Amino acid sequence: MRDGRDPAGMPSERAAAVTPFAAMDVLERAADRADVIHMEVGEPDFAPPAAATEAAVDALRAGDDDYTTSRGRRSLRDAISGYYAAEYGVSVPAERIVVTPGSSPALLTVLLATVDPGSAVVLSDPHYACYPNFVRLADGVVRTVGLAPDAGFQPAVSDYDAAIGDDTAAMLLNSPGNPTGAVIDGESLSALVALADRTDTAVVSDEIYHGLAFDAAAHSVLEYTDDAFVIDGVSKRYGMTGWRLGWVVCPRRYVDTINAIAQNTLICAPSFVQAGAEAAIRHGTDWLDGVRADYRTRRDILCAAAERWGFDPGYTPAGAYYMLLDVSRLGAAPAVADALLETAGVAVTPGPDFGANATEYVRASFAVSTDAVREAVARIDAVLASATTLT
Ligand SMILES: Cc1ncc(COP(=O)(O)O)c(C=O)c1O
């Protein structure tokens, strides 16, 4: 008996604490309609770099369909290591990299390796909707630091300092950030790393939107320290969400622990996908220039519309492909999101999923095509022309 409950036949307390992912719930509801513009999920409309598809198909045809080592193929890890040298001028030996089936299992593995039951993990608020659930699955406790739109959703290092105590295992950073699209400046990142070092707190940096900063330089924590976990993958950068390929860069003393968890729970990332991911990393750099330019165009269209609608969130996203829209003048965010789906056929995610500081907002993803962004804006223009409230 736990808490007076008979556990037989019931989900564990850990599992029961996991909340649904609102973007996926909206996607399910939107699936009943044919003409919906899907701005609720972060699904890039771009086909991956052609070299990636060719390499994966070639690998499959050549019978490359067996287990690899849990760490991942050496040639892929060398390519990832080369990426860090080329992008950030830092040396990340392949030995510190463990490849995973998507970055999500990488994050879970890192939290399992760093968080003891009851230890705190410090997150920003707003934050990626799934983070608190990851922390709970690792039996950790969520502690949040508020970010504000008038500060461009930049972290104040003093707030992190106040949030970290003896019970704190890790700080989880995310830049460019979901759901804000904010890019943490180098000075703040370096100060956060110094704070973590001083307080013996693990740094876990989710850099899945790196390569997609169009208005600011996205810095990797690896520019400031070797003693950090970096979570990354090919999902967002190369439009390869369904391929399921991520990785974690580990501090040296953690590599064997992370690898042991991966050996037991993940076995390996799919072998032919590793071949495709390697080609994307080695040959996808020029391809990314066009993608970034398109995201900036879409961001600009949406920002101009947000101002017209009175949804201006008070900041401008500088990366990733998300924007928070302040819909408070029309009603509660979940009801506004429902109404936009019903009346305009535009799916967005209600803000509360992203933390207490996002309750007034809906999150719109501009990973859909530029034409789809224009069409969504035209539809919302039409709906708002005749409405003072949507709820
Ligand atoms: C901040 C953030 N981290 C991680 C992920 C998961 O990425 P992956 O497809 O690599 O599991 C997402 C997906 O939306 C995300 O927004």
Side-chain angles (χ1 to χ4, degrees):
M1 296 274 277
R2 292 169 306 185
D3 304 333
R5 294 181 315 147
D6 178 356
M10 291 182 65
S12 66
E13 286 173 39
R14 188 190 298 112
V18 173
T19 53
F21 187 6
M24 289 304 178
D25 279 353
V26 177
L27 182 65
E28 265 182 51
R29 257 183 296 136
D32 296 339
R33 290 185 50 151
D35 59 340
V36 173
I37 299 173
H38 288 281
M39 301 179 85
E40 76 280 40
V41 280
E43 183 65 71
D45 72 306
F46 300 100
T53 309
E54 278 159 28
V57 170
D58 286 352
L60 255 184
R61 287 199 201 284
D64 180 1
D65 56 6
D66 297 331
Y67 290 140
T68 70
T69 64
S70 286
R71 290 171 203 276
R73 274 214 180 97
R74 178 68 198 220
S75 59
L76 170 57
R77 289 183 294 123
D78 282 342
I80 295 169
S81 172
Y83 161 81
Y84 286 108
E87 285 297 316
Y88 308 106
V90 295
S91 164
V92 178
E95 289 71 26
R96 283 179 50 208
I97 298 167
V98 176
V99 171
T100 52
S103 75
S104 302
L107 178 55
L108 187 56
T109 304
V110 167
L111 293 182
L112 291 173
T114 53
V115 177
D116 281 314
S119 305
V121 176
V122 177
L123 310 178
S124 66
D125 178 353
H127 50 68
Y128 173 44
C130 301
Y131 286 158
N133 286 322
F134 277 100
V135 173
R136 287 179 205 120
L137 284 169
D139 289 334
V141 174
V142 173
R143 187 163 301 146
T144 55
V145 170
L147 305 181
D150 51 10
F153 288 113
Q154 290 292 324
V157 178
S158 54
D159 291 345
Y160 277 79
D161 202 353
I164 291 173
D166 291 343
D167 63 344
T168 308
M171 65 166 78
L172 174 47
L173 306 174
N174 175 216
S175 168
N178 178 2
T180 60
V183 176
I184 301 179
D185 62 64
E187 208 179 314
S188 301
L189 210 49
S190 127
L192 286 169
V193 165
L195 170 66
D197 188 40
R198 222 167 42 243
T199 54
D200 209 11
T201 304
V203 176
V204 184
S205 180
D206 180 345
E207 302 188 355
I208 192 83
Y209 293 101
H210 270 235
L212 302 180
F214 34 75
D215 262 6
H219 292 278
S220 171
V221 290
L222 296 170
E223 293 170 50
Y224 311 106
T225 181
D226 283 337
D227 197 20
F229 296 91
V230 170
I231 311 287
D232 202 347
V234 298
S235 285
K236 310 294 184 174
R237 183 148 65 244
Y238 303 112
M240 295 167 69
T241 50
W243 294 54
R244 310 310 303 138
L245 194 293
W247 63 82
V248 50
V249 176
C250 313
R252 260 186 204 283
R253 65 187 190 288
Y254 274 97
V255 175
D256 290 341
T257 305
I258 295 286
N259 189 42
I261 298 175
Q263 285 174 335
N264 280 274
T265 61
L266 306 173
I267 307 281
C268 66
S271 53
F272 51 94
V273 169
Q274 293 190 40
E278 181 180 335
I281 294 163
R282 289 193 190 279
H283 307 296
T285 310
D286 295 344
W287 175 92
L288 257 179
D289 291 339
V291 168
R292 262 194 304 268
D294 279 357
Y295 283 145
R296 185 198 275 113
T297 303
R298 297 170 194 179
R299 189 275 317 264
D300 290 345
I301 295 170
L302 211 50
C303 278
E307 212 171 309
R308 207 165 56 242
W309 297 332
F311 288 4
D312 191 350
Y315 81 108
T316 306
Y321 38 62
Y322 302 105
M323 179 168 180
L324 289 176
L325 300 171
D326 180 353
V327 294
S328 53
R329 78 170 183 85
L330 291 179
V336 174
D338 280 349
L340 288 175
L341 180 59
E342 289 310 313
T343 57
V346 177
V348 292
T349 303
D353 217 29
F354 303 103
N357 284 1
T359 47
E360 314 254 274
Y361 301 91
V362 296
R363 186 196 69 174
S365 156
F366 45 93
V368 292
S369 73
T370 307
D371 281 349
V373 172
R374 287 206 176 93
E375 169 66 17
V377 166
R379 290 188 193 183
I380 296 175
D381 272 340
V383 166
L384 293 184
S386 57
T388 49
T389 174
L390 278 184
T391 58

